[in-house]
Amino acid sequence: GIVIQRARARGIRTIATVRQGGSTAELETLAPDLILEQDQQDFASRVMDATGGAGVKGVLDAVGGETASCLIGCMAPGGHIVVYGMLSPAQVAYHNTQLIYKNLTISGFGIRNALGGQTSEERKTMISTLAREISRPAFYLPVAASYALDEFEGALRAEATPGRKGKVILLP
């Protein structure tokens, strides 16, 4: 949700994906330009139609597997895929020509390494930017539950609840 809202505020078009049978209601409130089920047979053609045949310039991939394999085929020349999760246990499959002839870049993102490579000034700037953006009245961040710090164990159980809708918040 945060990425869609930040992109929209900058005029960047977004395509959001949900797993098969996934709920699109929460995504609809964030107003991406297109919502697709990952397992739709016409997934790639719908992405290409939405982009006028140009493909997408960037992908944030938390899934991997067949979804990522399909997304590689939907990329615009010079596109960049950032992998930050592995919800699918399957490996990503692609032919080298898909990367070579489109000059695509695939990179990984792990928060620990990303923050470790920043100076304290860069971290302060990032935190203040995020704080400013999420404090806007129009910013939407669903909260599933709030817990006091001394209820930390309950917060961890809530965070691990399958199908949870929203963030689990710790309060001072």
Side-chain angles (χ1 to χ4, degrees):
I2 293 171
V3 172
I4 293 171
Q5 293 176 80
R6 290 193 76 202
R8 189 180 64 232
R10 288 164 178 71
I12 299 169
R13 297 180 61 210
T14 58
I15 299 173
T17 60
V18 295
R19 284 174 269 184
Q20 185 176 9
S23 172
T24 61
E26 183 178 335
L27 277 174
E28 288 170 355
T29 64
L30 300 173
D33 294 281
L34 181 64
I35 300 173
L36 295 174
E37 279 193 22
Q38 294 169 354
D39 294 334
Q40 287 177 311
Q41 289 186 348
D42 62 344
F43 181 88
S45 65
R46 293 195 58 202
V47 169
M48 296 309 282
D49 287 347
T51 61
V56 294
K57 295 178 182 177
V59 168
L60 299 176
D61 177 31
V63 180
E66 290 181 34
T67 299
S69 299
C70 180
L71 289 169
I72 288 171
C74 300
M75 297 297 297
H80 191 164
I81 301 169
V82 177
V83 180
Y84 70 98
M86 49 193 151
L87 292 173
S88 170
Q91 292 186 2
V92 178
Y94 58 86
H95 195 278
N96 285 353
T97 60
Q98 291 177 290
L99 301 180
I100 296 168
Y101 296 129
K102 287 188 175 182
N103 196 30
L104 300 181
T105 302
I106 300 175
S107 60
F109 174 84
I111 191 69
R112 196 173 293 142
N113 285 335
L115 292 177
Q118 290 183 333
T119 66
S120 61
E121 191 60 37
E122 289 171 326
R123 281 192 297 276
K124 286 178 189 175
T125 300
M126 177 192 67
I127 290 168
S128 64
T129 299
L130 286 173
R132 185 174 53 254
E133 290 203 24
I134 66 174
S135 65
R136 290 182 297 117
F139 190 84
Y140 172 72
L141 185 65
V143 176
S146 298
Y147 291 85
L149 287 176
D150 62 350
E151 299 174 305
F152 185 75
E153 288 181 18
L156 285 176
R157 282 192 299 277
E159 178 66 27
T161 302
R164 174 182 40 82
K165 304 283 188 207
K167 305 294 181 192
V168 175
I169 306 294
L170 284 173
L171 302 172

